[in-house]
């Protein structure tokens, strides 16, 4: 460190301590809050050393201690502190507002609630709209209407081309295909995984102005990106990689008043760089491009997934995207290599070196959508060439050297029907996370942080939490859940600086309010929703050109670790929002909101991911009945339900629905207001009884069977969009089956484990035969010991003739006894 910089920081540190009332210890928390059922770890850091490790969590209103624990010591010196503790209070899962006390220090107030992530994913879109080029809804003004002029083309250099649209990359007005395509794909992926209009709302129109248009805002934003990408790929082998270059870095200005002269007159058009597959640069500095694959692969994956997402929304637009996806992929395989962005007057550019991940993703998306084995073969060929995204394994990278920062192709392949492929790519994903955890543990980092502090480190954090969430989902392995929580919490304030990393979020928190942005500099506003670059190695920071802090450093005491962070417009290295980093959080935050909604319902899932209790906070029971062929008990069941004024839920196979003799009873069930849902079409056995984790059906065959079942239900005028619960045939399935079903918008349910009423199918000749008396006795023993709040109780309405002891004939007795215990009954 240079002596003058050290002196400056020491003076700032002294001033900060005085300003803070001699504060020398701090507790860092996730300012957004915590879901009740989640890992919760705060971090205590101090400039003083003692042996106190005890901490308490207290209720804000009463100041009563609700949790007591012992902190776990970590390497305080990593952040130039004398003491550091990890304060784990995961066992506290009661809704409320709390603060932590440790060694005489209080944390900021935080919430534990199921709704802490509500609106978070949609909030990011504020920044995406603010970054729009062509028409900017934030300014309500047009910009860059003369884009642009082709450069570096063998025959068309200087030719005008219409490439208006897309997003500005960050707080400058450059536009890059790699970041824009990745941002588009990340939002597509978020919607593919969570196509939920209660999470992704419709508050803005296609132009990004307030007012509904019937389309979720994330789809409007995705389309804005895709339409620009079509312009940047006007023909099969004609692709453009960027608009403008570093001549853009002229001054802080409004995009609508961008008068930079690129050689065609002030503000009259910008260069549009043709993808040549060779090193590029119109001036002194050249990039190290070797081919077209990285950019062409990004075009191909976004076009393919976009075509699928928009096929029912706008078939014409979807067809245009589909027609471009295959040629883009073919071009990626013709001129193998990476395409980097171009610079002119400085040596800074996006140094993307890898490309196999982009080709893998494009092929994996096609495989995921079509189940075509030829695409699986292609994806696997490219995927195994880069088992771990290099920055994860190496712990280092040059600027955007390994991009995208998360390899979603590995995730798609982990969903393969081929068990060997599925296991291989799940293992690759786990190995990548293990590299991060190993680094965090080697440093004994108090924040469990193993990510390198290269430029845009927050983008790497967003990639890592996405990777961790998907790995847990696909493997069920909980090894990395605490690290995932630590990285998530880092973005919301559980970091040395105690600040969130998203501009203006969470409301009332400590967040970037003076970022490097025209919005804050010229309009004195906040670029709401923008994820800033994040902490950067001091060694990088000190050697960057043009950084001059403009304000007193409010985070001065925390700048003595391996990285620095400043909420200051003069620090473009750590405090500049980026469009692609922001979009990359779409999946994760929407997933967290979805998890919160599940927890809000007080639902419980089994080990395979099926919902087995709904509403555990209430004395409510859900009676369900399933039928494939036999349903002789229908009259008795319906009479009993009607007598007790109870609505229940019925699940039918296509086999049953097609039987003409059952038509009237099905209509009676529907007209009586009972829930009716699917139970498969052909009553397939999804998994072996003795080897549950190996599927007996392919994803394609299961989904086809499911859709046929829903088609049969629709013939009875059942609204399939509202028939969202599905009971698997034989009530037997595995994690993979559940994922496939729920990818179709269905929620898999099953009876509550340990309730044995579903054994009413057994017959006297079976070893596992259970009489109705035994089943009823077991039900009430279970109720006495565990309660039945939110339980799902299955009774078969039809059984083999040799079982004369029909449990459904004793339904009235069961209901009356449970009512006396205070239970009510609800349909799903």
């Amino acid at each position: 460190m240079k002596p003058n910089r050290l002196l400056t920081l020491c003076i700032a540190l002294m001033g900060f301590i005085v300003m803070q009332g001699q504060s020398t210890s701090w507790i860092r928390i996730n300012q957004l809050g915590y879901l009740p059922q989640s890992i919760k770890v705060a971090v205590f850091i101090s400039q003083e050393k003692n042996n106190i490790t005890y901490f308490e969590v207290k209720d804000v209103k009463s100041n009563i201690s609700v949790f007591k624990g012992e902190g776990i010591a970590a390497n305080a010196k990593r952040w130039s502190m004398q003491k550091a503790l990890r304060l784990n209070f995961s066992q506290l899962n009661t809704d409320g507002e709390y603060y932590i006390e440790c060694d005489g220090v209080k944390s900021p107030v935080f919430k534990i609630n199921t709704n802490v992530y509500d609106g978070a994913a949609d909030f990011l879109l504020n920044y995406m709209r603010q970054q729009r080029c062509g028409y900017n809804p934030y300014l309500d003004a047009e910009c860059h209407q003369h884009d642009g002029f082709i450069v570096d083309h063998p025959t068309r250099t200087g030719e005008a081309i219409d490439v208006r649209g897309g997003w500005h990359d960050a707080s400058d007005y450059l536009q890059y295909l790699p970041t824009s395509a990745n941002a588009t794909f990340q939002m597509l992926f978020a919607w593919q995984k969570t196509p939920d209009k209660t999470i992704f709302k419709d508050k803005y129109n296609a132009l990004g102005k307030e007012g509904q248009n019937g389309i979720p805002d994330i789809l409007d934003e995705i389309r804005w990106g895709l339409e620009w990408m079509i312009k940047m790929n006007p023909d099969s082998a004609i692709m453009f990689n960027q608009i403008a270059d570093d001549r853009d870095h002229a001054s802080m200005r409004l995009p609508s008043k961008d008068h930079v002269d690129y050689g065609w007159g002030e503000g009259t058009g910008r260069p549009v760089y043709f993808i040549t597959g060779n090193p590029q640069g119109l001036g002194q500095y050249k990039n190290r491009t070797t081919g077209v694959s990285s950019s062409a692969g990004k075009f191909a994956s976004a076009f393919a997934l976009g075509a699928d997402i928009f096929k029912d929304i706008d078939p014409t637009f979807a067809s245009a995207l589909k027609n471009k996806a295959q040629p883009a992929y073919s071009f990626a395989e013709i001129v193998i290599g990476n395409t980097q962005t171009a610079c002119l007057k400085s040596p800074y550019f996006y140094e993307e070196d890898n490309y196999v991940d982009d080709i893998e993703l494009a092929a994996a998306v096609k495989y995921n959508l079509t189940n075509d084995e030829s695409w699986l073969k292609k994806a696997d060929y490219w995927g195994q060439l880069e088992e771990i995204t290099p920055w994860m394994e190496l712990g280092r990278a040059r600027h955007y050297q390994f991009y995208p920062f998360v390899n979603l192709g590995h995730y798609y392949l982990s969903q393969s029907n081929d068990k060997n492929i599925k296991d291989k790519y799940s293992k690759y994903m786990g190995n990548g996370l293990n590299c991060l955890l190993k680094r965090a543990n080697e440093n004994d980092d108090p924040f469990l942080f193993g990510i390198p502090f290269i430029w845009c480190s927050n983008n790497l954090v967003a990639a890592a939490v996405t990777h961790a969430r998907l790995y847990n989902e696909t493997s069920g392995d909980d090894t990395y859940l605490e690290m995932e929580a630590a990285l998530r919490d880092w973005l919301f304030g559980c970091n040395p600086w105690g600040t969130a990393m998203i501009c203006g979020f969470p409301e009332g928190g400590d967040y970037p309010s003076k970022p490097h942005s025209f919005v804050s500099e010229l309009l004195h506003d906040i670029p709401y929703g923008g994820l800033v670059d994040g902490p950067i190695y001091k060694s990088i920071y000190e050697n960057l050109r043009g950084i001059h802090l403009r304000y007193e450093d409010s985070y001065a005491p925390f700048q003595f670790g391996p990285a620095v962070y400043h909420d200051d417009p003069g620090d473009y290295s750590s405090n500049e929002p980026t469009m692609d980093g922001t979009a990359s959080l779409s999946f994760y935050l929407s997933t967290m909101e979805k998890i919160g909604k599940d927890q809000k319902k007080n639902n419980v899932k089994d080990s395979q991911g099926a919902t087995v209790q709904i509403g555990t906070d209430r004395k409510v029971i859900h009676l369900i009945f399933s039928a494939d062929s036999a349903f002789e008990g229908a009259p008795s069941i319906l009479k009993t339900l009607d007598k007790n004024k109870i609505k229940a839920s019925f699940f039918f196979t296509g086999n049953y629905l097609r039987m003409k003799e059952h038509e009237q009873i099905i209509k009676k069930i529907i007209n009586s207001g009972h829930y009716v849902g699917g139970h498969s079409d052909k009553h397939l056995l999804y998994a072996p009884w003795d080897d549950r984790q190996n599927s007996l059906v392919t994803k394609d065959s299961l989904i086809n069977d499911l859709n046929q079942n829903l088609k049969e239900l629709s013939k009875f005028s059942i609204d399939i969009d509202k028939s969202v619960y599905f009971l698997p045939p034989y009530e037997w399935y595995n994690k993979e089956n559940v994922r496939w079903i729920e990818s179709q918008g269905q929620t898999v349910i099953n009876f509550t484990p340990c309730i044995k009423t579903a054994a009413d199918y057994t017959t006297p000749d079976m070893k596992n035969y259970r009489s109705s008396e035994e089943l009823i006795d077991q039900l009430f023993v279970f109720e006495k010991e565990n309660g039945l709040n939110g339980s799902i109780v299955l009774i078969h309405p039809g059984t083999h003739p040799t079982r004369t002891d029909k449990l459904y004939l004793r339904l009235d007795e069961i209901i009356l006894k449970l009512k006396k215990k205070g239970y009510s009954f609800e349909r799903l």
Side-chain angles (χ1 to χ4, degrees):
M1 178 178 287
K2 298 176 183 178
N4 62 336
R5 188 179 293 276
L6 176 58
L7 178 61
T8 300
L9 285 174
C10 288
I11 293 171
L13 173 58
M14 293 172 62
F16 182 83
I17 292 174
V18 171
M19 181 177 66
Q20 294 294 315
Q22 305 298 325
S23 294
T24 56
S25 303
W26 303 267
I27 298 174
R28 302 310 195 194
I29 50 103
N30 180 330
Q31 298 175 50
L32 190 58
Y34 304 87
L35 294 175
Q37 304 298 326
S38 68
I39 293 175
K40 310 173 192 72
V41 181
V43 176
F44 174 90
I45 53 175
S46 178
Q47 294 169 341
E48 299 177 359
K49 190 172 184 177
N50 58 44
N51 296 321
I52 296 174
T53 60
Y54 173 79
F55 74 96
E56 292 182 277
V57 183
K58 294 186 175 181
D59 181 86
V60 168
K61 294 180 180 179
S62 66
N63 291 315
I64 293 174
S65 179
V66 295
F67 181 86
K68 299 177 181 180
E70 290 286 329
I72 304 299
N75 180 14
K77 294 189 181 299
R78 176 162 170 79
W79 293 99
S80 294
M81 296 287 168
Q82 293 299 308
K83 179 179 177 181
L85 300 171
R86 287 182 60 75
L87 314 177
N88 193 321
F89 57 103
S90 301
Q91 293 177 23
L92 177 61
N93 53 25
T94 305
D95 285 9
E97 291 190 333
Y98 305 96
Y99 63 91
I100 299 171
E101 278 193 9
C102 180
D103 199 5
V105 178
K106 291 184 180 181
S107 75
V109 172
F110 60 87
K111 293 179 180 180
I112 296 178
N113 202 296
T114 57
N115 63 8
V116 292
Y117 288 94
D118 286 8
D122 253 2
F123 190 81
L124 301 172
L125 298 178
N126 287 304
Y127 185 68
M128 299 304 293
R129 286 187 289 268
Q130 194 176 91
Q131 290 298 102
R132 285 195 184 189
C133 185
Y135 171 73
N136 188 286
Y138 174 73
L139 297 171
D140 191 18
E142 292 184 335
C143 67
H144 302 108
Q145 288 297 298
H146 303 288
D147 285 343
F149 295 95
I150 296 172
V151 297
D152 220 0
H153 189 282
T155 61
R156 297 176 61 186
T157 292
E159 179 182 320
I161 183 172
D162 181 5
V163 286
R164 292 173 295 173
W167 302 286
H168 304 130
D169 190 59
S171 294
D172 48 33
Y173 304 127
L174 287 138
Q175 293 179 255
Y176 297 125
L177 181 281
T179 53
S180 296
N182 181 45
T184 303
F185 190 88
Q186 293 281 350
M187 290 188 289
L188 281 164
F189 183 72
W191 178 260
Q192 183 188 36
K193 293 289 292 177
T194 308
D196 188 336
K197 294 181 181 180
T198 67
I199 292 177
F200 291 113
K201 298 179 175 61
D202 173 25
K203 295 183 179 180
Y204 294 83
N205 62 25
L207 286 176
K209 299 293 290 182
E210 287 190 22
Q212 296 179 335
N213 65 342
I215 302 292
D217 297 332
I218 193 170
L219 292 178
D220 287 327
E221 213 57 41
I222 289 167
R223 182 161 186 158
W224 189 265
L226 288 171
E227 288 178 341
W228 180 76
M229 289 177 65
I230 289 174
K231 291 181 176 181
M232 295 290 280
N233 176 208
D235 206 346
S236 58
I238 299 176
M239 296 181 176
F240 299 96
N241 206 53
Q242 76 183 61
I243 301 174
D245 51 43
D246 53 0
R247 285 172 283 185
D248 171 276
H249 300 159
S251 63
M252 192 65 75
R253 62 205 183 278
L254 298 178
S256 55
K257 297 181 179 179
D258 186 0
H259 301 305
V260 174
D261 188 345
Y262 290 91
W264 295 278
E266 290 188 0
T268 58
R270 302 184 295 173
V272 185
Y273 281 78
F274 175 65
I275 294 179
T276 66
N278 298 307
Q280 286 183 291
L282 302 179
Q284 174 185 354
Y285 300 102
K286 306 286 184 183
N287 64 26
R288 295 183 296 276
T289 292
T290 63
V292 306
S293 307
S294 57
S295 289
K298 290 181 180 69
F299 273 118
S301 56
F303 286 154
L305 186 52
D308 184 69
I309 296 296
F310 282 92
K311 65 179 183 294
D312 296 324
I313 301 169
D314 187 338
T316 302
F317 180 56
S319 179
L321 293 170
K322 184 176 182 180
N323 291 338
K324 283 190 171 293
Q326 178 62 58
Y329 181 86
S330 298
F331 191 45
E333 286 195 326
I334 290 174
V335 188
I336 297 295
N338 59 299
T339 303
Q340 299 181 338
T341 64
C343 57
L344 186 141
K345 64 178 186 178
S346 64
Y348 300 154
F349 56 92
Y350 290 177
E351 305 181 53
E352 185 172 1
D353 275 346
N354 58 339
Y355 58 86
V356 298
D357 55 336
D358 295 299
I359 310 179
E360 174 198 357
L361 177 59
V365 168
K366 291 292 288 185
Y367 170 64
N368 179 260
L369 297 176
T370 65
N371 207 34
D372 184 333
E373 293 294 320
S374 66
W375 285 112
L376 174 61
K377 185 176 181 180
K378 290 175 183 288
D380 182 40
Y381 172 81
W382 295 107
Q384 59 191 335
L385 295 179
E386 189 174 277
E387 296 182 12
I388 301 174
T389 299
W391 73 262
M392 287 184 161
E393 186 171 19
L394 300 173
R396 58 176 169 79
R398 296 191 301 274
H399 191 42
Y400 276 64
Q401 184 181 5
F402 306 117
Y403 190 75
F405 301 120
V406 61
N407 187 346
L408 293 177
H410 279 14
Y411 168 72
Y412 280 119
L413 290 176
S414 76
Q415 307 305 295
S416 172
N417 292 329
D418 185 318
K419 187 177 185 301
N420 291 330
I421 295 290
K422 176 179 66 176
D423 291 346
K424 177 167 65 174
Y425 284 92
S426 180
K427 182 180 179 181
Y428 288 172
M429 293 173 72
N431 290 344
L433 293 170
N434 191 58
C435 291
L436 301 183
L437 184 59
K438 182 180 179 182
R439 226 167 6 251
N441 287 334
E442 286 173 350
N443 291 320
D444 192 18
D445 189 278
F447 300 94
L448 204 61
F449 197 87
I451 287 175
F453 292 106
I454 59 174
W455 204 341
C456 295
S457 64
N458 279 345
N459 292 20
L460 304 187
V461 177
V465 293
T466 295
H467 188 118
R469 183 90 310 272
L470 291 172
Y471 173 73
N472 178 256
E473 175 189 307
T474 195
S475 69
D477 181 0
D478 294 343
T479 302
Y480 306 104
L481 287 184
E482 184 174 353
M483 182 178 71
E484 177 192 338
L487 295 175
R488 171 181 70 232
D489 295 349
W490 175 279
L491 292 178
F492 293 108
C494 193
N495 54 55
W497 304 271
T499 182
M501 295 293 175
I502 298 175
C503 295
F505 192 73
E507 184 178 1
D510 186 304
Y511 50 70
S513 60
K514 300 185 292 293
H516 182 76
S517 166
F518 80 86
V519 174
S520 53
E521 283 286 86
L522 302 180
L523 303 177
H524 310 293
D525 197 1
I526 295 174
Y528 290 100
L531 176 72
V532 296
D533 285 334
I536 188 169
Y537 283 123
K538 283 189 286 189
S539 57
I540 297 177
Y541 172 79
E542 291 169 4
N543 288 285
L544 289 173
R545 302 177 182 181
I547 292 182
H548 303 286
L549 298 187
R550 302 179 192 176
Y551 302 99
E552 183 178 357
D553 184 6
S554 59
Y555 301 124
F558 317 111
Q559 309 292 21
F560 297 95
V564 297
Y565 169 76
H566 307 97
D567 184 17
D568 191 295
D571 182 3
Y572 62 82
S573 68
S574 73
N575 200 41
E576 181 176 13
T578 64
M579 170 271 299
D580 61 318
T582 299
S584 69
L585 278 176
S586 299
F587 158 74
Y588 191 80
L589 293 184
S590 59
T591 298
M592 294 305 293
E593 183 172 347
K594 179 170 61 175
I595 292 172
K597 287 182 182 297
D598 286 342
Q599 292 186 15
K600 187 174 185 177
K601 296 173 184 175
N602 291 289
N603 295 352
V604 176
K605 294 187 176 185
D606 67 10
S607 61
Q608 306 305 311
T611 298
V612 293
Q613 285 178 271
I614 300 175
T616 56
D617 59 330
R618 297 184 300 134
K619 295 194 72 170
V620 61
I621 293 171
H622 307 276
L623 290 174
I624 65 171
F625 305 90
S626 64
D628 176 42
S629 54
F631 198 12
E632 79 282 352
S636 173
I637 290 169
L638 291 177
K639 182 179 179 180
T640 300
L641 295 174
D642 186 55
K643 171 190 170 184
N644 288 280
K645 296 181 173 56
I646 285 174
K647 302 300 180 188
S649 302
F650 293 81
F651 294 87
F652 299 131
T653 64
N655 292 333
Y656 181 81
L657 293 165
R658 282 185 288 269
M659 294 182 183
K660 291 294 184 183
E661 61 267 33
H662 298 313
E663 186 174 327
Q664 293 307 310
I665 197 71
I666 294 170
K667 289 181 178 179
K668 184 175 181 179
I669 290 169
I670 295 170
N671 293 336
S672 297
H674 300 293
Y675 178 89
V676 176
H679 189 44
S680 84
D681 190 58
K682 300 293 188 182
H683 208 241
L684 308 176
L685 181 62
Y686 289 166
W689 295 108
D690 58 351
D691 187 15
R692 188 171 195 172
Q693 295 311 312
N694 286 319
S695 296
L696 292 174
V697 291
T698 66
K699 179 179 180 181
D700 189 52
S701 61
L702 185 152
I703 290 175
N704 286 340
D705 181 79
L706 168 66
N707 288 335
Q708 186 59 45
N709 187 196
L710 296 178
K711 183 178 178 180
E712 293 297 331
L713 285 171
S714 68
K715 293 178 180 178
F716 287 88
S717 299
I718 293 172
D719 187 345
I720 300 305
D721 290 335
K722 295 181 180 179
S723 181
V724 295
Y725 291 102
F726 179 84
L727 178 67
Y730 300 99
E731 295 80 51
W732 191 249
Y733 45 85
N734 58 34
K735 292 178 181 178
E736 184 173 62
N737 307 147
V738 172
R739 286 197 305 272
W740 292 343
I741 295 166
E742 298 204 339
S743 73
Q744 304 303 300
Q746 295 278 296
T747 296
V748 176
I749 66 148
N750 198 6
F751 60 84
T752 303
C754 300
I755 294 178
K756 303 297 185 182
T757 56
D760 63 347
Y761 73 91
T762 56
T763 55
D765 59 312
M766 295 180 177
K767 291 182 179 180
N768 63 337
Y769 174 69
R770 296 291 182 272
S771 69
S772 294
E773 192 65 34
E774 287 179 86
L775 296 178
I776 293 172
D777 287 345
Q778 189 275 333
L779 174 65
F780 285 98
V781 168
F782 182 84
E783 188 280 330
K784 183 177 180 180
E785 295 176 353
N786 304 282
L788 291 175
N789 287 18
S791 291
I792 300 173
V793 178
L794 171 65
I795 294 175
H796 288 100
T799 59
H800 195 275
T802 59
R803 182 182 179 107
T804 57
D805 178 20
K806 309 286 189 179
L807 182 61
Y808 59 74
L809 293 176
R810 301 184 65 175
L811 179 61
D812 188 54
E813 171 191 340
I814 294 170
I815 290 172
L816 290 174
K817 192 170 181 179
L818 288 170
K819 278 187 172 182
K820 286 182 180 179
K821 290 180 174 287
Y823 291 97
S824 60
F825 295 82
E826 291 180 2
R827 53 160 276 174
L828 295 172

